[in-house]
Amino acid sequence: MSILGTRVLRTEDPRFLTTGGVYTDDLRLPDTCHVQFVRSAVAHARIRSVDVSAALAEPGVIAAFTGADLDLPELSPPMRGVINAQMGQPLLARDVVRYVGEPVAVVVTEGRYQGEDAADLVDVDYDPLPAVVDMTEAGQPGSAVLFPAVGSNVAATFGDPAALKDDLFAGSEVVVSRTIVNQRVAPAPMETRAAVAAWDADGRLTAWIPNQGAQGTRASLAAMLGIDQAAVRVITPDVGGAFGAKFGADPEHAVVCWVARRLGRPARWAETRNENLVGMTHGRAQRQTVTIGGRRDGTVTAYRLEILQDAGAYPRFGAFLPALTILMAPGPYAFPRAEAVATSVVTNTTPVGAYRGAGRPEATAAVERAIDLFAAEIGRDPAEVRALNLLPPFTEPHTTAFGAVYDSGDYEAALSRALDAAGYADLRDEQAKRRAAADVTQIGIGLSCYVEITGPGAEEGGPRENATVEVHPDGSATILTGTSPHGQGHATVWAMLASDELGIPLDKITVKWGDTDLIPEGGGTGGSRSLQQGGAAVQQASRELLDVARQRAAESLEVSPADLVFDVAGSAFAVAGDPDVSVSLAGLAERERLFVRAVFRTQGPTFPFGAHVAVVEVDTETGKVVLRRVVSIDDAGTVINPLLAEGQRHGGIAQGAAQAFLEEVVYDGDGNPLTATFADYPFLSAAEVPSFELVAMETPTSYNPLGAKGIGEAGTIGSTPAVQNAIIDALGPLGVRHIDMPASPQRVWQALRAAAG
Ligand code: MCN
């Protein structure tokens, strides 16, 4: 019987729960020096001078460097041709600083904590410039600009605002329009950023960096250091969460490597939580104007999404996020007309990057809010309006007006099953009773339907991933993968996939990743691509290994390959009808190395979908929100390990709910971060959320032999609008139509006051 689809316990956990992981900051190389960054304390200023002399006189200080000392190319922005190339970030600021937290200098010390004191003594003379903190202001003509050579703050545009149709909403009986905020949030992984770097006598660099893909990290490091990729080895120790923000390498990583080369000894860096909250890329940060029009019977006839993306001070992946938001703009709906445009601007804030969902949660949040605004305007049940406008079920690929090719979907079933599981009618009854009784605590029911894209990629010939499977003479096996798990459990599932084919027990299979010398190619882990590409590659490599083994077994047993049967339970080939004449995979490996490297190429990205129902209680006197329930359907095609997939859903839903009612990165008007500690950034804990009710649904994809789509980000896509809509739904009769996220007690209270006049 196949173990695929069964709840195999994570094989990673015994080690994490007993001896613990080995993180970058746990590594100890002899003679290592410590790098401490001096970060800008102002949001926008010209640097008159940087004086490190006082720091150099401190005990333990070996060296101090400024931007002028670095003989390195500028960090180039990602995706040339899309994002303005003149907006690159120097690895250490030179003439101008553009956000609080931007690295300006480094102090290098013998001991770890000596650097913190010495860094305080680095004297940076700033000549302040006007700070542009608000993205709307940044986009306005006449605003101060971050890059005078560019002449505006626009980093990228997607679609042409001038081409928006005047008559898009012609014929609509009702049109609702609103500007809503998809606020900036912090990825806040448990493990902050870190690096250890050492150069060997031949001038080759080894860098240990917590990341989401060693190969991509090697590429960005090599580019920043201006050296050949062959001269770089990246090793990925255990990674304590990443959430999209550890893809590639950051300027700090390159600087640590440069310091090690300059001083001729290993260098290390691990940031504090405070540094992490201002220095690691943030996520989301969009201002969206939604316009939705349709008939009073609930049919939506037109939808428009206009996006303003805050890319932060230096455009990175964040500037590109709107492309994904636009791709997914109409979500699972069959809107006859839809259009979307976006502008990404720079502001004097921390750069924005990928954060779990990266562009797709923003699309779902916009359209799901729009549907609710429309439903409220025409006085209809939001569940009905959704059901009326969803695309009908399809098994053949469906191409949207925005060029997305949805592989397979049944959005109506997802919604109706979620509503059934939640007991929607009963919930509405309970709500009606509370409303009638004018209870102080009202309940709100919020919905969201979504479809998202996983495994996106622009590789020629389609997204791909490689895997190597080797069987050893002792009957064990090793898998090398180009993915890079950091909480997703690939060691368990990749072993399940190989075991299922080869009959080698799980505890005899070792999965390795994250060493560019061992695995030179790989796409890493992001965009929930890993199972559908990397897992599929493991299955393919295992199958190809069996083909090789069959040939060898035939030679060794002197029979035709076609006369052999593979006995999975025994992990051996035997002659058909004569089971005693057999040879095991281990036996074959004893004679000659038995391994296969396979590259799996998928037909294209897949489009998981689902529906979430959130139930909240809102105290109408204090504005306090309690999340009572989230019922979710997250259909990721065939599920290979339900335990892991559910774990991903629970984590994602919590993270997404936190965006709806708690988390936000806040700056003051001068660009000073007000949420640079966990005392100020209201990070979600298990205490704020109930256990989520996960309903199973599997609509397989034909794009890979596993039938699997991605699940890693689904929770953050479906839950956020459901929770936000629930909070607003609770307050509908009190006159509240919208509350921006996070719907904190203060915001809820203010909305109630405003509605009450
Ligand atoms: N899975 C499954 N069946 C499916 C789909 C997935 O059994 N149909 C299993 C997979 O085998 C894998 C896990 O679920 O063990 C997630 O697989 P997948 O959806 O392929 O996603 P990735 O492994 O590529 O994970 C990436 C995704 C992203 S993009 C972010 S961001 C994210 C996330 O995963 N960051 C995380 N989950 C995280 N979880 C933790 N603990 N920490 C993070 O930083």
Side-chain angles (χ1 to χ4, degrees), residues 26 71 268 274 370 460 484 501 525 561 580 615 623 725 736 752:
D26 295 326
D71 46 357
R268 60 188 300 128
N274 174 263
E460 219 173 293
S484 194
E501 298 294 327
T525 286
D580 289 343
V615 183
N725 284 340
V736 175
L752 283 165

Side-chain angles (χ1 to χ4, degrees), residues 212 241-244 355-357 486-490 493-494 525-532 636-642 644-645 648 708-713:
Q212 294 176 231
F243 307 110
Y355 172 67
R356 203 169 190 173
H486 43 280
Q488 294 88 350
H490 300 175
V493 179
W494 285 200
T525 286
S528 302
R529 66 182 291 275
S530 299
L531 177 62
Q532 59 190 298
T638 308
V639 173
I640 304 301
N641 184 330
L644 285 160
Q648 287 294 311
K709 313 185 190 189
I711 195 72
E713 295 156 289

